[in-house]
Amino acid sequence: MPKLASIPRPDGIGVLNLQGGVVEHVRHLKRLGLNPVLVKETGDLSGLAGLIIPGGESTCLGRLLKIFGLDRAIVDEYHRGMKLWGTCAGAILLAGKITAEDPCLALLDIEIARNSFGSQQDSFTDRALIPEISPTELPLTFIRAPKIIKAGPAVRVLWGKDDFIAAAESAGVLVTVFHPELTPCLAFHRYFARKCGMKPLSAAIVPDLDPSWDLTSWTGLLPVS
């Protein structure tokens, strides 16, 4: 008997909760009126409309995905319609090709090179106008970031600079090599929610650059829930 397609939950955007910037993404989604699902095991994926794979350490995350069987489960749910967004390490895991190593989930036709800007001390910030995401110029935070160096014909480049691509998407996958969750920027989370068929609060209610955000809001000193 063929498997039935999963039905998206009303609160159906998950955040992979194994390692990395989980709390930061959760709080941005909650600012948009959404109730994210923390994903630690395969059963947590059931029925999700979308999943965010956060920044962190991509080798560690890749190993944990395999240990818990989440790599295959994420691919299966993607083919059933679940959308995916990878930030930084998450983008590495979603790439179809990683320079000098084997890919992990391989769900987006891009080639990515890890740690392309140098060490942690070479992390930096920038600003960019990305019309598909927001009419407002957005802050970009790059932390030991990779570079997307090639994108296939079915991939839409959202923003790039000099010799690299920093944000790209297909119908089912969004990747950013920077960290919107570490800034006041809610525009990418709103964009991804809409990509998932969700209804986040509009920019008229919560602006793309949230004035209530502050530097202590992402330290994780308070519980996620």
Side-chain angles (χ1 to χ4, degrees), residues 109-223:
D109 185 14
I110 58 172
E111 180 177 352
I112 199 165
R114 65 165 72 238
N115 299 338
S116 295
F117 295 95
S119 70
Q120 188 84 5
Q121 291 182 331
D122 297 302
S123 300
F124 64 98
T125 61
D126 202 344
R127 299 187 70 85
L129 182 62
I130 309 174
E132 293 88 348
I133 305 298
S134 174
T136 302
E137 188 179 53
L138 302 174
L140 311 178
T141 296
F142 295 78
I143 300 177
R144 206 177 62 174
K147 288 182 181 179
I148 300 169
I149 55 178
K150 292 181 183 177
V155 175
R156 179 165 72 150
V157 174
L158 296 171
W159 188 76
K161 185 176 182 179
D162 301 329
D163 64 339
F164 69 96
I165 299 164
E169 70 172 347
S170 65
V173 179
L174 171 67
V175 292
T176 57
V177 303
F178 49 85
H179 294 266
E181 75 282 6
L182 299 184
T183 75
C185 176
L186 296 178
F188 273 94
H189 290 78
R190 187 170 4 244
Y191 181 80
F192 181 65
R194 289 172 175 162
K195 191 179 182 77
C196 295
M198 310 296 290
K199 294 182 178 179
L201 295 175
S202 72
I205 299 173
V206 182
D208 285 345
L209 296 179
D210 182 6
S212 71
W213 184 90
D214 62 76
L215 288 175
T216 62
S217 67
W218 53 268
T219 58
L221 295 176
L222 299 175

Side-chain angles (χ1 to χ4, degrees), residues 19 54-65 88-93 98 101 104 114-115 144 146:
Q19 188 265 345
E57 209 295 307
S58 60
T59 301
C60 175
L61 280 167
R63 288 174 179 170
L64 289 171
L65 287 175
C88 197
I92 294 172
L93 296 175
I98 307 171
E101 61 185 273
C104 183
R114 65 165 72 238
N115 299 338
R144 206 177 62 174

